[in-house]
Amino acid sequence: MHRQRILFAILGIHITGALSDSELDGAWQKWMGLNGKTYPNRVSEFTHRQTWERNYWRVLEHNSRHNSTFRMELNFLADQTFERASIASAKLTEDTLRFQPESDIAVSFNDILLPDSWDWRTKGAVTPVNEQGQFGDSQAYAAGECVESFSFIKTRDLVVGSSAEMHDCCTATGFATKTVFDCVHNIGGLCTDRDYPSSYEQCYNDSCTPVAKVSGGQKLQTGDEEAMKSAVYLTPVLAFVDGSLTSFQLYKEGIYSDPYCSSSTVNHALQVVGYGSLNGMDYWICRNSWGLYWGMNGYITIARNRRNMCGIASFSSYPV
Ligand SMILES: *[C@@H]1O[C@H](CO)[C@@H](O)[C@H](O)[C@H]1NC(C)=O
Ligand SMILES: *[C@@H]1O[C@H](CO)[C@@H](O)[C@H](O)[C@H]1NC(C)=O
């Protein structure tokens, strides 16, 4: 019954505004409470509420579609415009230029017979989900996570590496190297999160002992999802996507794909930890750095072999 009323509300909203103001008020208050939101003043609350209301209808409309492969939700980002993505975007333009793929990067993976699905989480190769809040540098997190996983695969020792060191030394002010992993090699590896806990805004790699090491990095050919599959089977991969769409920010579960997602303008880094297929639809398993309350406990599955959805295979690389 309730569901039907909501559906009615979706259909009728533009004409009658079927959901009453007080019901919407109630939903807003409840959402604020659940997400611990407070605003400095009424103007600020009003602005955020307007965004939230737009997203409220958006989520309702999206989730009522029967042909979508994923669901959205009013998560903690529902009162924000594109702030989060644009912070990352401003940074990444610089970073992706610095770590731009060259043409001489064709890696040949010998004909290893790859399993149809793979998930590094089940091998104990993945550390807990991060929340990039501190400096909003998704690349520092995702690249650091790849170093942690790679180091685990080599040594069987899983350590939480310092994303602050990654930020200070390699992604914010670092050396111009072929990949971010070559930079990690140059600085001797990553120290633990505990030994290099926060950013100094300049590289202090000598202040601690590196524990997670790599010999360098390898780029993948732009758009080659088959090569990326092989690479993911070797070790988790650093990938960049267009994370700027509302559908991405308010993603809840399922296989994400959006026809408006760009495959050339990427602005957000993820760690690709596996792949699989569901009902004939292939996907990548990706770890985000927006905390546990985003997506599927911090993860998103993104459509695979759908013409490089969201640019997932546009700027990927992995440690060697
Ligand atoms: C899904 O359905 C919506 C209408 O509910 C339509 O606008 C959209 O084009 C459809 N998408 C696909 C992929 O079929
Ligand atoms: C820190 O980085 C510098 C510059 O690449 C390097 O020479 C040095 O060995 C690194 N320090 C440690 C402790 O590895």
Side-chain angles (χ1 to χ4, degrees):
M1 284 310 257
H2 182 62
R3 181 157 286 231
Q4 198 152 28
R5 196 162 57 100
I6 302 264
L7 274 175
F8 235 80
I10 305 166
L11 301 173
I13 175 64
H14 300 299
I15 312 153
T16 63
L19 200 67
S20 75
D21 283 354
S22 71
E23 280 174 302
L24 207 53
D25 269 343
W28 167 245
Q29 296 298 336
K30 188 172 169 203
W31 178 88
M32 280 204 301
L34 278 174
N35 292 282
K37 298 276 178 172
T38 51
Y39 302 97
N41 54 55
R42 292 180 75 86
V43 176
S44 164
E45 177 173 345
F46 179 77
T47 315
H48 285 93
R49 164 140 178 193
Q50 278 190 316
T51 306
W52 178 89
E53 264 186 49
R54 270 197 305 279
N55 286 330
Y56 183 92
W57 299 116
R58 198 102 177 238
V59 168
L60 218 52
E61 188 271 327
H62 175 89
N63 290 348
S64 70
R65 286 182 204 165
H66 296 295
N67 60 358
S68 178
T69 55
F70 71 98
R71 290 172 67 77
M72 290 167 63
E73 68 181 338
L74 286 170
N75 63 19
F76 59 94
L77 297 172
D79 63 340
Q80 292 177 35
T81 44
F82 298 113
E83 289 148 45
R84 217 165 239 257
S86 50
I87 293 168
S89 186
K91 268 206 53 47
L92 271 180
T93 338
E94 226 172 85
D95 292 341
T96 40
L97 281 178
R98 189 141 45 85
F99 298 119
Q100 212 167 34
E102 293 141 12
S103 45
D104 63 330
I105 47 160
V107 211
S108 69
F109 291 96
N110 303 327
D111 293 326
I112 331 162
L113 197 55
L114 295 176
D116 289 336
S117 63
W118 189 255
D119 188 348
W120 279 110
R121 290 174 299 181
T122 65
K123 320 286 173 205
V126 174
T127 54
V129 166
N130 286 303
E131 163 58 74
Q132 71 179 53
Q134 195 189 356
F135 26 78
D137 178 357
S138 62
Q139 185 177 202
Y141 284 95
E145 291 160 4
C146 289
V147 171
E148 294 163 354
S149 297
F150 179 83
S151 170
F152 167 82
I153 293 164
K154 291 282 164 208
T155 66
R156 297 284 132 188
D157 196 10
L158 186 65
V159 295
V160 177
S162 168
S163 42
E165 183 180 17
M166 182 64 103
H167 175 77
D168 288 355
C169 300
C170 293
T171 59
T173 57
F175 311 89
T177 52
K178 189 163 68 77
T179 69
V180 66
F181 304 113
D182 292 286
C183 170
V184 173
H185 173 68
N186 289 350
I187 61 164
L190 281 189
C191 300
T192 63
D193 200 30
R194 197 180 305 168
D195 289 349
Y196 198 124
S198 55
S199 170
Y200 305 100
E201 293 301 344
Q202 53 176 303
C203 183
Y204 280 110
N205 69 313
D206 283 331
S207 68
C208 52
T209 309
V211 289
K213 300 184 179 184
V214 299
S215 311
Q218 178 64 57
K219 288 171 190 166
L220 286 157
Q221 195 78 52
T222 294
D224 189 344
E225 293 187 78
E226 268 315 298
M228 189 154 121
K229 183 183 176 192
S230 303
V232 170
Y233 182 58
L234 289 177
T235 186
V237 163
L238 168 67
F240 295 92
V241 294
D242 173 9
S244 65
L245 299 180
T246 306
S247 57
F248 184 91
Q249 312 227 334
L250 303 184
Y251 165 85
K252 179 179 190 219
E253 61 193 3
I255 302 176
Y256 180 75
S257 84
D258 189 317
Y260 296 104
C261 215
S262 169
S263 57
S264 52
T265 308
V266 295
N267 43 42
H268 188 62
L270 299 172
Q271 185 197 25
V272 185
V273 301
Y275 57 82
S277 308
L278 184 71
N279 303 327
M281 194 169 178
D282 297 341
Y283 59 80
W284 297 110
I285 306 168
C286 308
R287 168 158 55 153
N288 199 355
S289 48
W290 290 350
L292 277 172
Y293 298 113
W294 183 85
M296 299 185 287
N297 296 317
Y299 284 80
I300 179 171
T301 45
I302 298 180
R304 179 166 63 94
N305 298 328
R306 285 280 171 109
R307 296 164 66 210
N308 193 12
M309 180 56 68
C310 299
I312 184 88
S314 287
F315 293 94
S316 20
S317 60
Y318 58 96
V320 294

